[in-house]
Amino acid sequence: MGENREASALIAMSGGVDSSAAAYLMQEEGFRCQGATMRLLRTDDGRNAADADSVCRRLGIPFRVLDLADAFEEAVIKKFIRVYQAGGTPNPCVDCNRCMKFSRLLEEADRWGLTCVATGHYARVDRDEETGRWRLKKALDAGKDQSYFLYTLTQEQLARVRFPLGNMEKRQVRELAESLGFTNAKRQDSQDVCFIPGGDYGAFMESYTGITFPAGDFLDRTGRSVGRHRGAVRYTLGQRKGLGLSMGKPVYVCGKDMAANTVTVGPESALYAREVLVEELNWIALEGLDGPLRARVKTRSRQQEQAALVCPESGGRVRLVFDQPQRAVTPGQAAVFYGGDVVLGGGTIVEVLKEKEGEDGL
């Protein structure tokens, strides 16, 4: 195709089936393509890059590896640890999309004279004819939709991002990859945080920081010690399994005091709250908020959206007031606001405002 910059794309190649299918679809659409794998971990064994290189060779497109391990450590891993140590539960996939994938890949696209970046994410982008704003929308395949993790995309980024799989189901993507003879067609999707295979966050943080997180007291809601925990960073709000407590009834983690190294447990009813404060906002479908807005909100990626009123607060925050109390809303996670299939915007949960209730210990 020559050097037609008007139809050129950097393809983010993870080595998996989704990004491989995305590369093929962009090529079929007439784009001059350049494949690239981001090396984010110093311990990377090179398998993902080898799989991506194999696909690019099959498609006849050039391929490069971008060594971004230092930047990833600063932007994602260190923040992950800071948030856990402060008592929150971080969302590293959101941070990776915000700080690494799209900002760095668009910089590389500019360096190589390419007009857009394409990835294997399940989401859609279009432009609102009335407002002229670019919109992020849910994928056709609701079970694979990744719009929750992409809410930080800016107007400038959305104008240059392509999601070729947004109108496809995962089944169709695998069938396409098989028909093309891709060796990764049946490769299973990873469910772990990429830098913590196996999911043991506590062990990872101890190994990374050289700090041993000390045991401390489990407390009931009156402040009475009811057992010993293995380090407060190892527990998340709403957790029931792995507490090792015999209380005569089910109990859940409903609070942590990192300074005192205590974990408070209580009944499931103690996990519910209606009001949440959110900051670090990014608005997509609208420029900002000048009054209360009705929306559907997710506070976890796999959650069904919940009806809420989004109210502007001082300091650029918003207060979410849910129609129904929500379970285990967790500081550090993302709250993403939807209007139908359209992502209105989102931000980081910083505080959960619980109604006072009578204390009965449990």
Side-chain angles (χ1 to χ4, degrees):
M1 291 185 59
E3 294 296 312
N4 180 7
R5 194 175 187 278
E6 294 307 308
S8 54
L10 175 62
I11 316 296
M13 305 287 290
S14 68
V17 64
D18 293 329
S19 58
S20 300
Y24 169 79
L25 292 169
M26 291 297 287
Q27 190 180 54
E28 284 294 290
E29 201 173 328
F31 283 78
R32 173 173 61 88
C33 297
Q34 161 79 57
T37 290
M38 302 172 72
R39 179 179 176 268
L40 301 178
L41 304 174
R42 296 188 183 90
T43 56
D44 191 335
D45 62 7
R47 177 192 169 192
N48 291 337
D51 286 347
D53 186 33
S54 172
V55 169
C56 286
R57 288 177 184 275
R58 192 170 188 86
L59 295 176
I61 64 177
F63 173 75
R64 302 185 189 186
V65 176
L66 306 175
D67 191 346
L68 299 174
D70 288 345
F72 182 78
E73 181 177 29
E74 287 296 322
V76 180
I77 296 178
K78 288 185 177 180
K79 180 180 178 181
F80 177 91
I81 291 171
R82 285 197 307 272
V83 173
Y84 258 117
Q85 288 180 320
T89 301
N91 199 318
C93 293
V94 169
D95 291 328
C96 184
N97 285 333
R98 171 169 41 203
C99 301
M100 300 299 304
K101 284 183 180 168
F102 294 98
S103 59
R104 296 303 293 263
L105 288 176
L106 283 167
E107 289 175 6
E108 295 297 329
D110 287 337
R111 186 172 294 116
W112 299 339
L114 304 169
T115 53
C116 70
V117 167
T119 76
H121 285 96
Y122 286 81
R124 295 177 291 167
V125 175
D126 69 10
R127 197 166 195 177
D128 188 324
E129 294 182 1
E130 292 186 9
T131 66
R133 293 184 68 83
W134 291 96
R135 300 188 300 184
L136 174 66
K137 302 174 72 174
K138 295 179 190 176
L140 180 69
D141 187 338
K144 297 299 295 182
D145 173 56
Q146 293 172 297
S147 60
Y148 174 88
F149 298 104
L150 298 168
Y151 79 87
T152 61
L153 287 169
T154 66
Q155 286 293 297
E156 293 75 15
Q157 290 170 336
L158 287 167
R160 300 183 59 194
V161 167
R162 298 290 297 266
F163 299 129
L165 309 187
N167 289 309
M168 299 179 68
E169 296 181 356
K170 181 72 176 202
R171 169 187 55 81
Q172 295 173 305
V173 172
R174 288 202 184 277
E175 290 173 355
L176 174 63
E178 286 192 50
S179 72
L180 295 169
F182 291 166
T183 57
N184 58 14
K186 295 184 178 180
R187 181 172 162 182
Q188 293 301 306
D189 298 334
S190 173
Q191 301 298 317
D192 294 325
V193 173
C194 67
F195 54 91
I196 312 179
D200 190 339
Y201 302 155
F204 168 78
M205 289 189 288
E206 287 188 336
S207 173
Y208 183 89
T209 63
I211 298 170
T212 299
F213 298 110
D217 286 330
F218 278 120
L219 306 178
D220 66 18
R221 292 193 298 159
T222 68
R224 178 174 61 93
S225 177
V226 293
R228 298 285 286 174
H229 64 67
R230 299 179 297 112
V233 297
R234 299 178 185 273
Y235 302 87
T236 57
L237 289 181
Q239 181 176 338
R240 177 184 174 185
K241 294 182 178 179
L243 302 183
L245 297 174
S246 296
M247 307 288 292
K249 61 180 71 175
V251 293
Y252 303 78
V253 173
C254 57
K256 299 195 294 184
D257 184 330
M258 303 306 291
N261 191 32
T262 59
V263 176
T264 299
V265 297
E268 188 173 21
S269 61
L271 298 174
Y272 287 83
R274 288 190 62 209
E275 298 190 19
V276 177
L277 289 179
V278 179
E279 63 181 27
E280 297 179 340
L281 293 156
N282 182 56
W283 294 103
I284 298 178
L286 56 158
E287 291 187 11
L289 203 59
D290 55 12
L293 172 72
R294 291 290 300 178
R296 308 282 294 180
V297 180
K298 279 189 177 185
T299 57
R300 296 185 301 277
S301 63
R302 294 297 181 188
Q303 178 191 37
Q304 289 291 324
E305 300 105 69
Q306 302 294 312
L309 191 64
V310 185
C311 304
E313 296 268 317
S314 61
R317 292 181 168 189
V318 298
R319 179 190 299 261
L320 305 181
V321 183
F322 288 95
D323 290 8
Q324 301 294 327
Q326 299 299 302
R327 184 185 187 280
V329 179
T330 307
Q333 290 288 294
V336 180
F337 324 137
Y338 291 85
D341 285 344
V342 176
V343 176
L344 305 176
T348 303
I349 298 165
V350 292
E351 188 176 352
V352 179
L353 306 173
K354 293 186 178 180
E355 298 177 5
K356 292 187 180 296
E357 55 183 315
E359 298 292 345
D360 59 358
L362 290 178

